[in-house]
Amino acid sequence: MQLTPRQTEFADAALRLLARDGMAAVSFRTVAAEAAMSVGAVQKAFPTKDEMLRAMFARLRATASAPVLSEPGRPTLSGWLVDLMVAVLPLDAPRRAAELQGAAFAERAAFDPVIADAVASSDRELRAAIAGLVNRARAEGEVPATVDADAVAWGVLAFMQGMASQLLYDPAPEDAVRRQCGWVVDGLLSA
């Protein structure tokens, strides 16, 4: 989705509102106030609220940065997967805001096929990348040949999403989260 500079400004303001006050707080009026602009300016940029929500989602996807880790799957697949999980879980304010925004759009995906398709596509890409790393680790003898790469990819993503949700309402220290991630990854990679 191509956004004008004004649409980008309003989408970013709406994402700040979403992270701070939840999706229910996002309206033309509140976005206008957050951006210090008129309601009419927001309505001119987005004729419908659905268009504004899709622009917000486009901005979230464009600005969400994947963590930069060393070579994927190195030095060990288990360690790399744990590092990946810890890097994206909501353990600080910026990652918490990103998780709140992402969770709101995951909920919205059940009612908006455009957002649903984008979320599903992102999930498929991540699962494919993880499965590829597991297959490489199997070929190199790092994990047993009996490990199902697709099942590991599904398990890792499901655990990350569940853990992220729990950490929003029940924060935990990073070292405890790292241990829990390690237990799950080790279990998935030893099956």
Side-chain angles (χ1 to χ4, degrees):
M1 177 178 203
Q2 294 288 81
L3 301 177
T4 67
R6 181 58 51 99
Q7 287 173 320
T8 298
E9 179 183 359
F10 290 140
D12 289 345
L15 285 169
R16 287 191 304 273
L17 276 168
L18 172 59
R20 189 175 61 235
D21 301 321
M23 186 66 88
V26 176
S27 69
F28 288 134
R29 182 184 55 75
T30 59
V31 170
E34 181 74 18
M37 299 290 282
S38 71
V39 173
V42 177
Q43 289 174 320
K44 183 177 179 186
F46 302 113
T48 68
K49 186 171 181 183
D50 280 345
E51 288 181 42
M52 182 170 63
L53 293 172
R54 288 181 181 147
M56 290 167 61
F57 185 68
R59 283 297 293 158
L60 177 61
R61 289 190 79 198
T63 59
S65 59
V68 177
L69 301 172
S70 61
E71 181 186 356
R74 306 292 186 202
T76 67
L77 179 59
S78 175
W80 188 87
L81 286 171
V82 170
D83 287 346
L84 172 67
M85 290 176 172
V86 171
V88 299
L89 290 171
L91 297 170
D92 59 21
R95 290 181 285 174
R96 179 179 169 76
E99 179 59 30
L100 288 166
Q101 292 163 343
F105 283 105
E107 181 180 331
R108 178 92 182 144
F111 308 99
D112 186 324
V114 172
I115 291 174
D117 184 55
V119 171
S121 177
S122 293
D123 286 354
R124 283 190 297 272
E125 288 173 18
L126 180 56
R127 285 193 312 268
I130 292 170
L133 293 174
V134 172
N135 283 328
R136 183 179 77 187
R138 280 190 345 200
E140 294 174 352
E142 182 183 342
V143 299
T146 57
V147 170
D148 182 326
D150 291 326
V152 170
W154 278 94
V156 166
L157 184 58
F159 176 77
M160 285 172 58
Q161 290 171 338
M163 177 65 100
S165 292
Q166 288 181 344
L167 289 169
L168 290 176
Y169 58 81
D170 189 15
E174 185 174 322
D175 61 329
V177 170
R178 183 173 287 280
R179 276 193 308 276
Q180 291 169 339
C181 292
W183 295 328
V184 169
V185 168
D186 289 346
L188 289 169
L189 294 178
S190 66

